[in-house]
Structure formats: structure tokens, C-alpha cells
Amino acid sequence: MSTPSISEHRPARGTRRIVVVGGGPAAHRFAEAMAARGLDGIELTVLSEEAHLPYDRVSLGKALTGDVDLTLGDTDFWGTPGVTLRSGAKAVRLDAREHVIHTSDGGRHPYDEIVLATGSDAAQLPFPGAEAAHVYRTLDDVWLLRREIARLTHVLGRRPKVVVIGGGLLGIEAAAGAQELGGDAAVVNRSRWLMNAQLDEGAGQALGRLIAAKGFEVHTGVAPAEVLVDQTGGDDAGTVIGVRMADERVLPADLVVAAVGITPRDELLRLANDDAIAAGLEAPFALGRRGGVVIDASCSTGVDGVWAIGEVANFEGECVGLVAPANTMAEIVADRLHGGEATFPGFDTATKLKLSGVDVASFGDAFAQEPGALEIVYADPARGVYQKIVTTDDARTLLGGIFVGDAAPYQSLRPLLGRELPAEPGAFLSAAGGGEAPETELPDDAILCSCNNVSAGSIRDAVNGCGTCDGAEPVRELPALKACTRAGTQCGSCVPMLKKLLEKELTKAGVTVSKALCEHIELSRQELFDAIRVLQLTSFEDIMARYGKGAGCDICKPTIASILASQHNAYVLDAGRGTLQDTNDRALANMQKDGTYSVVPRIPGGEITPDKLAVIAAVAKKYGLYTKITGGQRIDLFGARLEQLPEIWKELIDAGMESGQAYGKSLRTVKSCVGSTWCRYGVQDSVGMAIKLELRYRGLRSPHKLKLGVSGCARECAEARGKDVGVIATADGWNLYVGGNGGATPAHAQLLAKDLDDETLVKYIDRYFMYYIRTADRLQRTARWQEELDGGLEHVRRVVVEDSLGIAEELEAAMARHVDSYEDEWAATLKDPERLRRFRSFVNAPDAIDESIVHVAERDQVRPATPAEREEIERVSLGATIPVRTRTEEA
């Protein structure tokens, strides 16, 4: 499209000419911020080098794997009077003395104020062969990469090998996209762990293992040295054949993608400085040591009428490639140009995203650099997540945090940054307590959406109709609230917290609250469960086609996966269901803090024969595993590598054992005391009943984990009343208790029925579990579910005992189908070579061992080495690039 230059257009007398250089998210946000404040007497021109309308660069991965529209905002905005977008107009020279910007199409654009939002380029690889690598930065880059993978797949007749150099956000995203498009992806990162700029070593190693479990190769701790190309002179001359590493290893490659960081696009400023120096003048612009134009707190460059925002702006020695600070800068300059005095508070580097299906979040002082900072770390052996909270030395004020695998606490904690925590820090570590974070009443000035700097008070004002939005009408729906306040419209990580705050304010106002599962599915979990059951739907695609919109999210995908597993009991990783699962379900194991996995065989009721104990001991010795007896009366084996899991499970299954399914939201254990068989106080056979219940409910998928306890007398040695279902023996039978749990908000189970015979006890538990599975919200424990039911425990009693809804037979039949169709997931895995392909540390080298894992000896067992111990072992190993897996302290 041909457009006239501003030199051909004369603005009305008194019109203020504001030119924006750049057409990315920062420029778009600035243009909207200016329009929102009023454009009277202003002519706003945006010069965009790209042919596209401003688009969401955060979501480039979606464009790599699908046909999506990433355009920011309403396209009609660019028709706003006073706003002009000139696409394909690359700025090539800035004359700050004459207040003119020149473009590549010969345009000459005079300005009164100019806002530089030129963003950044992908950093180039600093070694031979760099020109053969693709970059991953723009929409055109992504489309080119997509076409190239498709071409290579066709030409080679196999999955192309894609090596991504760079283990940061974009690198992992590019690798995930390549894998989804049919390539075999490998990620190379010179640091010892992935995302080293945002994650500490424990979190980075956990992420690496999670990524490797999805079929990626992960090479960390060694730098690439050269991109190798074919130089034989034949038809393949110049094509990529591999990447040579600094340790002389060669990684085979058909395609190389460079994602090693960004370089601020400050060439306009450098050229302006050169022009000034050539004219005998002082260079007008101060540039940062690593690039970018230096700005002050007003976002001014110090040169008359020249401002800078986004990735090109260097504030206090840093340029940051994140959405939130760019948006804040855009708002500040818009405020200043309308006579305000807003100032930039500094970079908010909080990051929350899903990398290849793995939740990752980092915010605040994540590396605990503040003097006296405390780190509260939890690596959950039951769910395989890494969670860390950083506080002041009195453990009261929140300074930061890191979450990998399960980032749910981020939603509650991020707005509390710099504030006193309402509970002790450990209560917010969901992996440690198994429940939701403590209920938090956010102060009005707490920032709920950091991308758009939206406070909790602004959300409350919108919901209560206090003038935040046009017309000052109360906002009652989540989409309208997002449109009104901008909260949740950028990265989306704050949407769960936004939804919770909306519901809380509506409840206060006496308004009925929507129970929609998420913004993609308007049904509640209960409604969705019933719809899937009645229509007998069996795939995510069919369910979304009928009841959803969009591609789904990290709320509805695992929820649907859980519902399908509850209703059909099919292998959870088949038929495309693997991508829907939570992290540990994908590996059928719990990941630990060092990237290894735990193995947890089922020990029903805590009863085990000496022969099986001997097998467990032999396996632990053979594979060098740490052994621990758990509170659930099982034996956990820690420290197994991904590729060892099938070997270990084959030995255990051959000995008559099966998976304890400690990784799933399903039945965990049935704890028991020794009961009447041996104990002189026991009045019923608690061990026998515990075994019967565990074998009946094993593998039962549910909204959250399930635990049972069976005590043989009123002394309650099995702590049954602290379980979801507790059974306590009496002289006349069994008392049944329901709705108990431990965690951050413990609850005692309540008496549902007493003096039951064995058959009636099992029948009532069948009904209770199936009613809970059908009607509870996602991630809701039985205690909270029971509390929130209208009528509470009495309602449960009427349904379970009295069959008030007339569904008892239906619930019992559903449980019977589960019992009849149960199959141990590891036994099923071992039967199928295709399923076993998931359990390799290195996709292209199935027999290779991941030797980056380091253990040391302690109390006659092994444990993960600390960072200091790793360094010492590497030193003793004479600088070996990859240390030996298990060392003793003496070594």
C-alpha cells in the first residue's frame, strides 16, 4: 500500500505532531494510551517496519504450530481520527536537531515529539556457521521456520533433527513448536540449567527433566562452537548437518534455531551520534554498555522531544524484554505528553508462562540476593514440582519466588510482593500442603495484573460500578471485566486470581456467581462431567467442539483429562490425552528437585511380604536409590533416571507389585493399624479391610488426591479422621467418617454412618467417592467440597445413605465399571514399545545416560549434591564437562 509522507501533509495550525518509531506491542500500547487520554490537537503517526498490524509477540509459539490471529486489540482502532499507522515504513535516520525522522521509502516525517519503540533483534551466534541458523523473533521468522520444518520432513522422509541454541523462554518455546510440527528437538544451553536468568539451579534442573520427559534432548553446561554445514560440493552443499560443541561432541542437525537473547535496536541512535560527531558536535544520545538508549524515570532520553519505551530503553543499566515494563513505560510517556508527572518505578521481571506444557513462574528477588533473605523450598515427591518462596529474615515479608511444574501459588503470591504474608510461607507451597493457598484479601493498591499495572482496587471499582469503565455500570462477567480494566489481556497468568476476585465481589453484592470452568468452557466442572457422561464423549476435541471455544488452557485441559480418566479408565497417555495431563502423569512418576524420579510401588494397607521387601531392597541397591518409609505406609525409592523407570518397574511388576500411582490426582494410600489380627485392643480386621479398599479404589481418578485410613479400634492409630475417608472399627462393625484432610487447612473427617457391616461400608464409600467425583470443582479436596455443598454433611448423608436423589444404583454401577476395567499403568506401559518411547533421556540416543545428575553419600544412602558439592566434584574430576552421576563424600 502506497502512503504519502508527512512532508506532503500539512497539519492544522497548532497541531502537535507525535511520531512513534516501531510497530510492536509497546508502540500499540502507547497509541492506545494516548487515544484514551484524548487526541485533541494531536496528530499521532506510528511507523512500523513490518507489514503486519501490531501483534502479540508473547504468543509467537501459537503461530508456529497453528493458524492464529495474534493482532493486538481491535483493528478498528487504527481508523481512529488523529491516528495513522504506516506499515512497511522502516525508519533509517533520525535528525534530532531538525526534529525529522526519515524512512526507507523516502518519507520525511517532521515531529514535535518522537517515541522510540524499536524493540530488539535476535542476538546473533558468535561463532562460525551462524549465518546458517534461523532466528525466532518475529512473525515472519516463525512462518519461515514452520515452512522449513515442513519442507525438511517432505525431503528427508523422516522427522528432521532441530537443534535450538539457547535454553531461555524463546528457545524452549521454539523447541516445543518444532517438536509439535514433527521434528526431533534438542535444546542447548551453556549454563548448567535451563532458564538460568529466571530460575535457580534446583528449578532449572527440574525444568530440564520435565522437558526431557516430553521427548526433547537437553544439553546443558557446555557451549556450542560451530554450526556445521555440508561442504562436499554436491546437491547438499551449504545445508546444515550438525552443531559442534565446545567439548568436540557433534549433535546431528537438519535445522538450527538461534534463540540466545536479544539486542536492543538502537541503530538510529548510533547513526545520529555518528552524524553529530562528524559535524563536530557532541553525541546527543547516551547509549548503554550492552546497547539501548539511556532514559530517566520519565522515559526521556535527555534529548529534546525524544522518548524511548520498551526493549530499546535502557534504565539503570538494563534493557528488559518483558511486556509489563514496556506497557508501564508507554503509559508514563502518554501521561507526560498530556501534562502528567508519572515516573517509571523500575523493571517488574515477573514471568509466568507454560513452556511445552510445563508451568513456570518467577518473580521478585527470585535468587534471594537481598541480605538476610530466607528461601523456603519444597520439592514434592508426590507431584514432582519445585516451589520456592523468598522472604525477609523474619519469614514475614514476601520478596520473591520460583515455581516449576505447579505454579498455582504464583497467582496468590504475586500481588503480595513486598507485603507481609497473611500466613506462614509454607502454607502457600501447594506441593507441601496439598491444598489451595490460604484465602487472601488483596489490598486495593496491590497489583493484580503486572502486565497492565491493574490494581485490585481498580477491579473492585469496575465490579461495583465506580467509574472505571465507560458508563460506570457494574461489570458482571469475566470477559467484560478484562475488556474494561485490561487485566488478564496480555500474558493471562492473572486470570485465575481475577476470576476469584470477581466472584468474591459479586458474592458480597448478592449477585449469583458464574460457575464457568474457565473462559473457554462456560459449563461448571459438574455440568461438564455430566455432559461428557451422558453423551459418552471420549476425546478432548469432541468435548471442545460441543462445549468449548478456542484451544483450551491449563485449567480445562487437565480437568477434561481427569474427567475422561474417571469415566473410562483408559490409559492416560494414549489417543492424544498425554498433552492434557498434569506434569507427573506424563512420566508416570514424581520428579524430584535434582531431576530424577521417585518409584513408589503399591503396598496395600501397609502389608508386605519379606520376599517383596527383598525385591525392593535389591532394586534399590542395583540402581543406587535412596529409600524412605512414608507416612502412607509405603516405601519410596528416590533417584531413578527417566530411562531407568521401565527397567525398575519391570523388576517390581515381575515380583507381583504394581504402581502406587503417587503421581496422580487419584487414590494414594489406605493407611491401617495392625488391627484385631495381632493387637490385643483391636476389634476388627483393619488390615484386611484396608487392603480390600485399596485394591477396590486403586487408579480412581478424581478432582484431587484421595487418602483413606482404617483403624481397628477407637484408639485410632491409623489417624483415619485425618483422611478423605476414615473407617474406625467398633464392636458392632465400622464407623464411616468423611471429608478429612491435612495440609495448610486441615480438617477432621465427620461421622457419616456408624456400626456398618462390610458390604454396607463399601457401598457407602462407593457412593461417596463417585458423588464427589461428579460434583466437586477442579482441585477441590473432599473437605472443602463437603463444606460448600448446600446442606453440607447432612446433604451428603441424604444422598449417600438415604439415596435422596435416586442415583445410588447409578453411582455404584459407575464404581463397578472402574473396578472391572482397572489396569496398572506401568504394566500397560511395559507391554507397548510405543509407550516405552517416552522414557528416554535423549531421543536420538536411546541408550545414552544423563550423567549430569550428581549424588553424594549421607547416612549410608545417596542424596542430591548441593551446588557447592557439585563444584567440588567437578574440580576433583579434573574439569570433566559432565560429572559422574554418583560420588561418595570421600571422593
Side-chain angles (χ1 to χ4, degrees):
M1 180 178 66
S2 176
T3 55
S5 70
I6 288 182
S7 59
E8 299 167 5
H9 167 70
R10 296 283 182 257
R13 181 173 297 178
T15 296
R16 195 175 176 201
R17 298 168 298 187
I18 299 175
V19 175
V20 183
V21 181
H28 175 263
R29 181 54 177 267
F30 173 76
E32 287 196 330
M34 288 294 294
R37 288 168 171 83
L39 293 172
D40 290 344
I42 293 175
E43 188 176 76
L44 179 67
T45 302
V46 178
L47 305 176
S48 175
E49 178 179 343
E50 294 188 73
H52 317 288
L53 293 175
Y55 57 88
D56 180 9
R57 297 183 191 275
V58 174
S59 300
L60 275 178
K62 296 178 181 178
L64 179 59
T65 57
D67 296 317
V68 295
D69 183 4
L70 300 183
T71 304
L72 289 167
D74 187 344
T75 57
D76 290 341
F77 169 77
W78 299 107
T80 302
V83 177
T84 302
L85 172 66
R86 297 181 181 271
S87 300
K90 180 181 179 180
V92 294
R93 183 167 169 267
L94 170 62
D95 188 335
R97 286 180 296 166
E98 296 295 326
H99 281 219
V100 174
I101 183 79
H102 299 268
T103 53
S104 56
D105 58 2
R108 181 179 181 277
H109 306 269
Y111 65 84
D112 297 300
E113 309 281 349
I114 191 167
V115 180
L116 303 174
T118 49
S120 59
D121 273 335
Q124 298 299 307
L125 298 176
F127 46 75
E131 66 281 355
H134 289 253
V135 294
Y136 185 87
R137 185 63 186 162
T138 69
L139 197 53
D140 289 332
D141 294 337
V142 165
W143 288 345
L144 177 61
L145 187 58
R146 184 176 172 179
R147 291 195 299 271
E148 185 63 7
I149 292 174
R151 186 189 71 82
L152 286 170
T153 301
H154 175 71
V155 171
L156 299 173
R158 59 168 171 82
R159 296 171 65 93
K161 302 179 187 301
V162 182
V163 174
V164 180
I165 300 176
L169 306 178
L170 288 179
I172 298 174
E173 187 178 80
Q179 189 94 339
E180 189 171 339
L181 288 172
D184 284 335
V187 179
V188 176
N189 200 46
R190 65 184 305 162
S191 171
R192 290 207 308 269
W193 62 90
L194 299 176
M195 282 186 67
N196 50 290
Q198 291 85 18
L199 305 180
D200 62 14
E201 183 167 8
Q205 294 287 4
L207 175 62
R209 296 296 296 182
L210 288 169
I211 295 298
K214 296 177 67 63
F216 296 74
E217 284 187 42
V218 179
H219 302 273
T220 57
V222 60
E226 182 181 4
V227 177
L228 302 175
V229 297
D230 190 304
Q231 298 181 0
T232 59
D235 293 340
D236 294 331
T239 59
V240 170
I241 58 174
V243 175
R244 181 174 63 82
M245 309 296 282
D247 60 3
E248 298 304 323
R249 283 183 298 153
V250 173
L251 304 181
D254 303 304
L255 180 68
V256 174
V257 180
V260 292
I262 58 175
T263 302
R265 293 199 57 181
D266 56 11
E267 59 268 26
L268 281 176
L269 293 314
R270 294 184 183 276
L271 182 59
N273 282 350
D274 291 344
D275 288 345
I277 293 170
L281 303 173
E282 184 178 349
F285 296 102
L287 301 177
R289 185 170 62 87
R290 293 188 175 183
V293 59
V294 175
I295 62 169
D296 59 20
S298 70
C299 297
S300 168
T301 64
V303 175
D304 180 41
V306 182
W307 312 78
I309 61 176
E311 294 163 333
V312 75
N314 185 307
F315 183 72
E316 296 183 345
E318 284 189 286
C319 294
V320 173
L322 294 174
V323 169
N327 286 345
T328 301
M329 289 178 180
E331 293 285 347
I332 287 167
V333 176
D335 178 76
R336 289 274 175 167
L337 295 180
H338 281 83
E341 297 182 352
T343 57
F344 184 59
F347 291 111
D348 176 0
T349 57
T351 304
K352 165 68 171 70
L353 65 164
K354 185 179 283 287
L355 291 170
S356 187
V358 179
D359 282 321
V360 178
S362 172
F363 69 102
D365 184 15
F367 293 93
Q369 296 176 327
E370 185 77 18
L374 296 180
E375 296 176 274
I376 299 92
V377 181
Y378 197 92
D380 188 346
R383 296 182 61 212
V385 296
Y386 181 94
Q387 298 183 326
K388 180 174 84 170
I389 290 177
V390 182
T391 69
T392 50
D393 58 2
D394 60 0
R396 299 178 68 179
T397 303
L398 179 64
L399 298 180
I402 295 176
F403 300 92
V404 172
D406 178 1
Y410 173 85
Q411 299 157 8
S412 299
L413 289 171
R414 173 62 189 82
L416 297 176
L417 186 63
R419 299 174 185 273
E420 188 170 318
L421 290 170
E424 61 93 13
F428 288 89
L429 297 179
S430 58
E436 297 183 4
E439 195 68 26
T440 303
E441 185 72 27
L442 293 178
D444 280 345
D445 61 344
I447 300 300
L448 187 142
C449 174
S450 58
C451 287
N452 293 309
N453 200 34
V454 183
S455 68
S458 297
I459 300 299
R460 291 189 178 102
D461 287 345
V463 176
N464 295 313
C466 296
T468 302
C469 305
D470 294 340
E473 290 294 325
V475 178
R476 297 293 187 242
E477 300 292 337
L478 183 61
L481 184 61
K482 291 169 66 176
C484 161
T485 64
R486 288 177 172 273
T489 59
Q490 205 91 42
C491 77
S493 66
C494 66
V495 170
M497 197 67 178
L498 179 66
K499 183 172 182 284
K500 185 178 290 187
L501 184 56
L502 169 63
E503 292 176 352
K504 187 177 290 186
E505 292 301 307
L506 291 177
T507 300
K508 287 179 183 178
V511 178
T512 301
V513 177
S514 168
K515 293 296 183 181
L517 179 63
C518 66
E519 59 184 300
H520 301 103
I521 296 180
E522 295 181 357
L523 302 179
S524 67
R525 182 193 175 278
Q526 177 182 351
E527 291 167 338
L528 184 62
F529 188 102
D530 287 339
I532 293 171
R533 178 178 59 85
V534 170
L535 295 178
Q536 298 183 345
L537 301 177
T538 59
S539 74
F540 176 78
E541 292 75 17
D542 287 346
I543 294 166
M544 290 300 290
R546 283 180 175 269
Y547 301 110
K549 54 186 178 182
C553 64
D554 56 356
I555 293 176
C556 57
K557 284 183 177 180
T559 300
I560 290 174
S562 174
I563 292 173
L564 290 174
S566 298
Q567 295 188 12
H568 303 292
N569 216 12
Y571 185 78
V572 295
L573 303 182
D574 278 353
R577 291 185 294 271
T579 58
L580 308 178
Q581 304 295 336
D582 284 328
T583 304
N584 287 332
D585 283 301
R586 298 189 188 108
L588 303 181
N590 302 316
M591 177 171 285
Q592 307 307 308
K593 66 186 293 183
D594 66 339
T596 60
Y597 293 83
S598 65
V599 173
V600 189
R602 186 175 301 286
I603 302 179
E607 182 182 83
I608 187 168
T609 65
D611 287 343
K612 288 182 178 178
L613 278 175
V615 171
I616 291 175
V619 166
K621 284 186 175 182
K622 180 178 179 179
Y623 295 94
L625 307 178
Y626 171 84
T627 55
K628 176 75 171 63
I629 296 175
T630 73
Q633 299 180 335
R634 299 198 285 199
I635 299 174
D636 282 13
L637 309 175
F638 294 86
R641 300 192 305 272
L642 181 69
E643 71 275 6
Q644 292 178 323
L645 292 176
E647 304 168 19
I648 292 171
W649 276 112
K650 185 177 188 310
E651 295 193 30
L652 294 173
I653 289 171
D654 286 347
M657 285 178 267
E658 65 178 39
S659 170
Q661 214 170 23
Y663 47 82
K665 291 179 175 60
S666 56
L667 177 74
R668 296 293 174 84
T669 61
V670 183
K671 185 176 181 179
S672 73
C673 67
V674 74
S676 61
T677 309
W678 289 93
C679 179
R680 59 196 174 102
Y681 299 108
V683 294
Q684 300 287 350
D685 180 8
S686 55
V687 178
M689 177 56 71
I691 293 172
K692 179 177 182 178
L693 295 177
E694 185 155 352
L695 295 181
R696 183 171 185 80
Y697 303 124
R698 58 186 172 178
L700 180 63
R701 297 280 176 160
S702 59
H704 214 298
K705 62 186 177 185
L706 297 172
K707 295 183 178 182
L708 287 79
V710 183
S711 287
C713 73
R715 291 172 182 259
E716 242 281 73
C717 295
E719 301 167 328
R721 291 197 63 194
K723 306 292 188 274
D724 297 280
V725 168
V727 179
I728 301 177
T730 70
D732 299 316
W734 304 97
N735 286 353
L736 175 59
Y737 294 82
V738 293
N741 68 253
T745 52
H748 267 99
Q750 302 174 68
L751 181 64
L752 182 69
K754 62 181 183 178
D755 297 330
L756 305 175
D757 58 39
D758 289 9
E759 183 182 353
T760 305
L761 173 70
V762 172
K763 181 168 62 176
Y764 285 178
I765 297 175
D766 284 357
R767 296 176 185 179
Y768 179 80
F769 275 154
M770 293 312 300
Y771 189 52
Y772 160 67
I773 290 170
R774 286 191 178 188
T775 61
D777 286 336
R778 59 179 289 272
L779 302 181
Q780 189 176 41
R781 293 295 299 272
T782 56
R784 304 285 86 78
W785 164 73
Q786 213 163 275
E787 289 173 0
E788 294 183 10
L789 285 173
D790 188 12
L793 178 66
E794 189 54 39
H795 172 80
V796 173
R797 181 177 289 110
R798 289 196 301 268
V799 172
V800 171
V801 178
E802 301 171 9
D803 192 17
S804 60
L805 300 180
I807 60 173
E809 288 187 9
E810 191 177 312
L811 298 176
E812 292 170 27
M815 185 62 74
R817 285 193 298 273
H818 162 76
V819 174
D820 292 342
S821 61
Y822 169 77
E823 182 181 21
D824 174 37
E825 289 173 345
W826 265 110
T829 300
L830 293 173
K831 295 176 184 176
D832 190 331
E834 276 304 306
R835 292 171 178 172
L836 287 171
R837 284 171 54 84
R838 295 175 176 270
F839 301 95
R840 297 180 297 177
S841 287
F842 304 102
V843 172
N844 294 325
D847 298 325
I849 295 174
D850 182 358
E851 295 184 328
S852 65
I853 299 162
V854 182
H855 290 163
V856 298
E858 183 176 81
R859 297 187 297 277
D860 298 324
Q861 295 210 74
V862 296
R863 63 162 173 79
T866 65
E869 288 167 339
R870 288 179 63 98
E871 291 179 7
E872 176 62 15
I873 290 171
E874 290 178 8
R875 185 187 66 77
V876 173
S877 301
L878 302 177
T881 302
I882 301 178
V884 177
R885 176 181 176 270
T886 302
R887 307 273 184 151
T888 65
E889 287 179 331
E890 290 74 21

